[in-house]
Amino acid sequence: MDHANPVETPVTYRLHRAEYLVGFAVVTGLMIAHYDEIRWLPALILFLYIDVIGYLPGALAYRRSPDGRIAKGYYVAYNLMHSLATQAVVAGLWIWLYGPEWALLVLPFHLFGDRGLFGNFLKPFTLSFEPQPSPAYRRFVADLMGGPAPAAEPVTSASGTGR
């Protein structure tokens, strides 16, 4: 992937995920090392608010939609809340208002986990809100790689929602 070809093949997608797994491992190590110094109620709130605002409304709308189409605003909310830039601003405001604290580690923990463990990156408007194999993508990869279309990778998640 580069600036002239902003797409990923299955291999570059796995490598991209692996980079986030490294970040996830570092953050997890810091959380373990400072376990006793983390204020867990703020940490839980900071961890959950990302999905309460950014994922759950879109997931509910998607499940209620007869054809799977939902308003672009749900995608914008997801992408805004799952942005490293947004969460850096949240962390900066938190530090300014309350001071630095180890509970803030849950912000990258959440995002790195979503990307590294579950493969969830920002959502483009043109794809289903919940992951679904795209025949157009499979044809594109086959054309790019000069071979048959790869088998659709299974949709998995810890919660079983396909997120």
Side-chain angles (χ1 to χ4, degrees), residues 15-107:
L15 292 171
H16 200 181
R17 284 182 67 182
E19 289 185 347
Y20 280 100
L21 282 174
V22 171
F24 182 76
V26 169
V27 170
T28 300
L30 288 168
M31 289 176 70
I32 291 168
H34 297 280
Y35 182 85
D36 293 339
E37 300 171 75
I38 295 174
R39 291 189 315 135
W40 287 102
L41 182 58
L44 181 64
I45 292 167
L46 286 166
F47 181 86
L48 292 176
Y49 100 98
I50 294 170
D51 282 342
V52 168
I53 295 170
Y55 172 68
L56 292 177
L60 291 171
Y62 177 82
R63 283 166 180 72
R64 291 180 178 161
S65 171
D67 63 0
R69 289 196 221 151
I70 61 173
K72 288 182 180 179
Y74 293 114
Y75 290 82
V76 171
Y78 181 92
N79 291 341
L80 183 65
M81 295 308 298
H82 287 82
S83 164
L84 289 166
T86 298
Q87 298 315 317
V89 169
V90 168
L93 286 171
W94 187 282
I95 291 166
W96 182 56
L97 294 170
Y98 305 109
E101 65 174 299
W102 292 108
L104 292 169
L105 285 174
V106 300
L107 297 174

Side-chain angles (χ1 to χ4, degrees), residues 108-125:
F109 180 83
H110 183 128
L111 299 181
F112 294 172
D114 272 358
R115 293 174 183 164
L117 294 174
F118 305 119
N120 295 317
F121 290 83
L122 301 179
K123 296 185 180 289
F125 294 145

Side-chain angles (χ1 to χ4, degrees), residues 8-18 137 141 145 153:
E8 292 188 303
T9 65
V11 171
T12 57
Y13 172 74
R14 286 191 292 275
L15 292 171
H16 200 181
R17 284 182 67 182
Y137 176 75
V141 170
M145 304 301 285
E153 292 194 22

